[in-house]
Amino acid sequence: TSSNSEQDSMSRHRFALPTSLGGPLFKVGDRAVLTHNGGVHQIVDIMKVNLNAETSTYKYDVALRDGSIMEVTKEFLSPGDEPDLALLPIELSDVQAHIKHLDPETIEALLNPALQSEEVAEFMAWHVRAGHLPFSTMANLCDAGQLPKRFKKIALNKKIVCPSCVFGKCKRKPWRTKGPHGSIRRVTETEPGDRTSIDHVISAQPGLVPRLDGRHSRERINSVTVFIDHVSGLSYSHLQTSADNVQTLEAKIGYERFAATHNVNVKSYHADNGIFAENAFTEVVKDSNQSITFCAVGAHHQNGIVERHIQTLTHGARTNLLHAQRRWPKAVGTILWPFAWKDFEFRYNHFKLDEDGRSPMNKFTKTDVKADLRRCHPFGCPVFVLEAKLQNHLATMPKWDPRARVGVYL
């Protein structure tokens, strides 16, 4: 009896919870979101909770979709009921977990539209190629000759819905609206470059740094400096690994270099307070013979032009990213969001036509050159590239080896 008591005492002492550790974040039977393989999400069930007595940390055995068991730490898990706009449900049960007010029949109809004509299917394929631009913009593309005229009646049909746009762009509608309010734009703003709004976007989810040499860096994109011209509406985004003064000034230099290539002189900026009001930024603006105005304290609505534009870029990039992730989850993850951001911005600048058929790039450069939508491809689609040995004609390959490798269109 004494030996059993001593053994029980030792066992209790060995597995006693340290005061700094607390209890586990998840318990057996909980549902969580597992992030692995570079940002790929998967909803899993907690099967077992293990305590490492030496490191005083918990590890969790989770059940994957293929039936296998994986042991992970808390860094790879997030609560299943935690809202994550970067997580697109893949299965019907996952959709119901996120949108509880829709019945299964409605969700199934959204994911698998029935009785879709060939013409509608062709229009939706062009909609995906255009980066999920709004249907009103698709109608303008039809008027401008970028798309067949027969698609305009489909674009104006309110009964046709893109499921990816619903998941990526859905937001809460205000239950009341305020009265008419003034415009941030000034009467004196008549030429591109007269005034540019600027703001930062901070992302909690890290993104890959775009590189042309194929070698990945350990640094990650965590912020974007967004510029939008008041007259033309042209958008320019500078990806950054830090939102400090150094990289913010690099963003300003990059935007002005881009404007100079189109014979546009940037004269004035409008920004929030914060890093843009620090001496390091304002002194450079003054030395460049430019001016800058700021919002009042706590009045971000006074910078509403770029704030609203950031919402447009966020919705578009998220929709394209989730659309690709839903179709190729093993290759596309949220870590690719910087590429989706720049890809959608390109489509916005070249295909967001107004009633006169002019894009922001046309108005910024004062040209009538039109971009060809046929040269664009859906973000995240597979791309097959000829092997380097066959490109150079310097070496031969075994007869039965693959002649191409597959990549992701970014």
Side-chain angles (χ1 to χ4, degrees):
T1 303
S2 60
S3 61
N4 292 338
S5 300
E6 293 176 358
Q7 185 176 2
D8 292 343
S9 176
M10 292 176 60
S11 178
R12 286 195 301 271
H13 176 73
R14 179 181 179 184
F15 293 102
L17 294 178
T19 56
S20 60
L21 179 63
L25 295 178
F26 304 94
K27 61 180 183 296
V28 177
D30 286 350
R31 172 163 288 193
V33 179
L34 171 66
T35 304
H36 64 110
N37 292 341
V40 178
H41 294 288
Q42 186 175 160
I43 296 181
V44 296
D45 294 322
I46 306 297
M47 306 301 295
K48 186 178 179 181
V49 180
N50 304 314
L51 173 62
N52 189 329
E54 297 179 357
T55 61
S56 299
T57 57
Y58 286 102
K59 291 187 177 181
Y60 304 91
D61 292 346
V62 299
L64 304 181
R65 297 188 187 282
D66 57 4
S68 60
I69 302 297
M70 176 186 295
E71 187 181 53
V72 297
T73 57
K74 64 178 182 179
E75 287 77 14
F76 296 91
L77 298 173
S78 59
D81 56 350
E82 182 179 281
D84 186 0
L85 296 179
L87 173 62
L88 179 67
I90 299 176
E91 295 183 354
L92 183 59
S93 58
D94 300 333
V95 178
Q96 289 174 305
H98 282 72
I99 312 178
K100 299 180 180 179
H101 62 277
L102 292 183
D103 54 89
E105 292 76 14
T106 304
I107 298 173
E108 189 67 30
L110 277 174
L111 296 179
N112 301 300
L115 303 177
Q116 188 180 69
S117 65
E118 295 182 0
E119 190 176 32
V120 173
E122 184 181 358
F123 169 79
M124 295 303 295
W126 281 106
H127 173 64
V128 174
R129 176 175 285 195
H132 292 273
L133 289 174
F135 281 4
S136 59
T137 303
M138 300 290 291
N140 292 339
L141 289 172
C142 296
D143 293 334
Q146 291 274 12
L147 292 176
K149 300 287 186 180
R150 55 190 172 89
F151 287 154
K152 184 175 181 179
K153 62 178 181 181
I154 301 177
L156 299 178
N157 188 350
K158 300 298 184 181
K159 296 182 179 179
I160 298 178
V161 178
C162 173
S164 296
C165 290
V166 173
F167 285 116
K169 301 179 182 180
C170 190
K171 64 177 183 179
R172 180 172 60 91
K173 288 185 177 182
W175 64 274
R176 64 178 179 179
T177 57
K178 298 181 179 179
H181 39 271
S183 174
I184 301 175
R185 293 180 173 88
R186 297 175 177 176
V187 181
T188 56
E189 299 170 5
T190 58
E191 295 292 329
D194 284 350
R195 204 174 186 209
T196 301
S197 285
I198 179 176
D199 199 4
H200 270 149
V201 179
I202 307 298
S203 175
Q205 295 173 324
L208 281 180
V209 178
R211 298 178 65 93
L212 296 178
D213 56 7
R215 299 179 180 178
H216 291 301
S217 171
R218 291 186 178 181
E219 295 183 323
R220 292 292 181 263
I221 300 295
N222 57 24
S223 58
V224 184
T225 301
V226 180
F227 303 80
I228 181 169
D229 181 68
H230 284 200
V231 177
S232 64
L234 180 118
S235 173
Y236 178 87
S237 297
H238 187 85
L239 303 176
Q240 301 175 197
T241 58
S242 174
D244 57 6
N245 279 324
V246 176
Q247 296 196 27
T248 302
L249 289 175
E250 291 177 357
K252 177 181 179 296
I253 295 173
Y255 170 66
E256 293 175 358
R257 185 187 301 115
F258 169 80
T261 59
H262 299 289
N263 296 322
V264 175
N265 181 27
V266 181
K267 302 175 183 177
S268 176
Y269 289 101
H270 182 65
D272 293 336
N273 290 278
I275 195 170
F276 302 109
E278 295 181 1
N279 291 334
F281 192 86
T282 56
E283 289 297 328
V284 173
V285 172
K286 186 183 300 183
D287 294 340
S288 303
N289 295 323
Q290 298 166 336
S291 62
I292 185 171
T293 56
F294 300 100
C295 301
V297 177
H300 293 281
H301 61 276
Q302 295 180 358
N303 201 18
I305 294 178
V306 68
E307 296 283 1
R308 179 61 180 83
H309 180 64
I310 288 174
Q311 175 181 311
T312 299
L313 293 180
T314 303
H315 286 185
R318 180 171 59 222
T319 301
N320 285 298
L321 184 63
L322 298 184
H323 179 87
Q325 186 176 349
R326 179 166 171 255
R327 282 155 178 77
W328 201 2
K330 293 184 178 180
V332 181
T334 54
I335 199 171
L336 298 179
W337 72 262
F339 299 91
W341 183 282
K342 295 294 291 185
D343 181 78
F344 180 79
E345 185 180 52
F346 173 83
R347 285 163 168 75
Y348 168 87
N349 284 332
H350 290 85
F351 302 114
K352 184 69 169 64
L353 306 184
D354 58 13
E355 296 179 354
D356 298 328
R358 294 176 59 81
S359 66
M361 182 63 73
N362 294 144
K363 291 180 281 188
F364 188 77
T365 60
K366 296 183 179 180
T367 61
D368 294 326
V369 179
K370 305 294 184 182
D372 191 355
L373 186 58
R374 294 174 298 178
R375 294 183 178 272
C376 296
H377 301 282
F379 175 82
C381 69
V383 178
F384 297 91
V385 183
L386 187 67
E387 285 289 350
K389 293 182 179 179
L390 299 179
Q391 294 181 24
N392 299 328
H393 301 285
L394 300 178
T396 59
M397 295 182 62
K399 183 177 295 184
W400 310 116
D401 283 4
R403 260 44 186 172
R405 57 186 178 87
V406 64
V408 181
Y409 178 80
L410 301 176

